[in-house]
Amino acid sequence: MSSSNNSHTESTSDDDSSSLSASDESGESIEGDEDVVSKKYVHEQHHPSALPHLMMDDPFIKNTLQWALSVPIGLGLCPWAIQSHREGKLRIVKCDGKYASDVADKLENEISDLTCNEDDECGRLRTTLVVCPHVKEWDDFQEFGRFVSQGIKRHISRDQLLDKVTLVAFHPNFLKWYGLPRGIELGSIVHSYWGSIGQKSTNREEATIVELENKAFGLRKIKVRFTNEIMGRQEQYVPVDWIDTSSDPSAEKINGDPLPDNFMYQSPYPVIHIINNNDLSTLCLRDVSRVKRLNAKRMLSMGWKRLKSHIPEKYDKE
């Protein structure tokens, strides 16, 4: 996630750090055992009663808060949720509508509330989660992701409103990042796209895998050495999904096992996190890079089994 005042809708970018960060309440990095980290955040001041404005009799809101306390806040992943919750300013609302247009109307109102003049009383909300449990087609994560990244623009005509926020998609079936297919290892010859100034090339080139894991990217990126020099260099870190093991570009792509990084975005219902870009602008590029490194390291070290132990054992019946 970049730190600027431009509009962002995040759900499909390979460099997406989303609303997720790994920092403690003092701004220092969190090191050591992740279970200790979890206990650090889920304590008395993070009890649901610290947010009296939430409709805790609504199971969708209550279950979303339980998830937030256990994962984004409990694992120290989201600085906005952590700070907002600590100050009693984490807002969770539910959209009862069954259509994308209903959610768009809800989002428009919530964005207005979040981004209005901070000197006004309405400017008190620091971050908002909009729960969208009733839109049937959003059972499909891809459909939901497309709405958050692009579709919302067709419903909200006030472009300047979307320019003020970043929207981040969470979903029960969030699955975007995969490892390399089995049998692909250090020294394997593959075909890969390459990047230039943040842009993905339109063609693939033959390359050799020279590094499988990096502390800055976890398992989402690998280092390859292109057979032919490209843009004045041969080696480059590329997202795993830019790699293809087939020389035939029309062949069906084979993915490896899902990476634990996906867990960070797996909420109990489709949820849209609204972040005020004024808050994002407080982070420099170095901060964002550090955020990504720490989260990648944490997901890699914990693994799927340990991460899933942080999910609430039982949600309230809806």
Side-chain angles (χ1 to χ4, degrees), residues 80-91:
W80 294 278
I82 290 169
Q83 181 177 351
S84 298
H85 188 261
R86 186 180 68 234
E87 298 176 1
K89 296 178 180 179
L90 172 62
R91 179 170 169 80

Side-chain angles (χ1 to χ4, degrees), residues 22-124:
S23 61
D24 69 12
E25 295 173 5
S26 65
E28 296 301 320
S29 63
I30 298 171
E31 302 293 344
D33 188 83
E34 286 79 3
D35 290 332
V36 175
V37 172
S38 179
K39 292 175 183 177
K40 174 180 176 62
Y41 288 101
V42 186
H43 51 55
E44 290 183 1
Q45 79 177 69
H46 287 142
H47 190 273
S49 62
L51 299 169
H53 60 279
L54 296 185
M55 297 177 61
M56 297 307 296
D57 57 338
D58 186 310
F60 292 101
I61 291 178
K62 185 174 182 180
N63 292 339
T64 300
L65 177 59
Q66 283 185 304
W67 163 77
L69 292 176
S70 300
V71 182
I73 294 174
L75 292 176
L77 298 172
C78 181
W80 294 278
I82 290 169
Q83 181 177 351
S84 298
H85 188 261
R86 186 180 68 234
E87 298 176 1
K89 296 178 180 179
L90 172 62
R91 179 170 169 80
I92 303 176
V93 297
K94 182 186 69 172
C95 178
D96 290 316
K98 297 181 180 180
Y99 303 101
S101 57
D102 299 325
V103 175
D105 290 341
K106 186 73 171 179
L107 283 171
E108 187 167 11
N109 291 333
E110 292 299 326
I111 293 171
S112 295
D113 286 344
L114 186 67
T115 60
C116 64
N117 193 325
E118 294 185 356
D119 293 333
D120 295 338
E121 180 64 16
C122 64
R124 68 189 182 280

Side-chain angles (χ1 to χ4, degrees), residues 108 152-160 162:
E108 187 167 11
I152 183 64
K153 298 174 183 177
R154 294 195 297 269
H155 295 277
I156 297 181
S157 57
R158 292 189 290 162
D159 290 340
Q160 69 275 15
L162 288 176

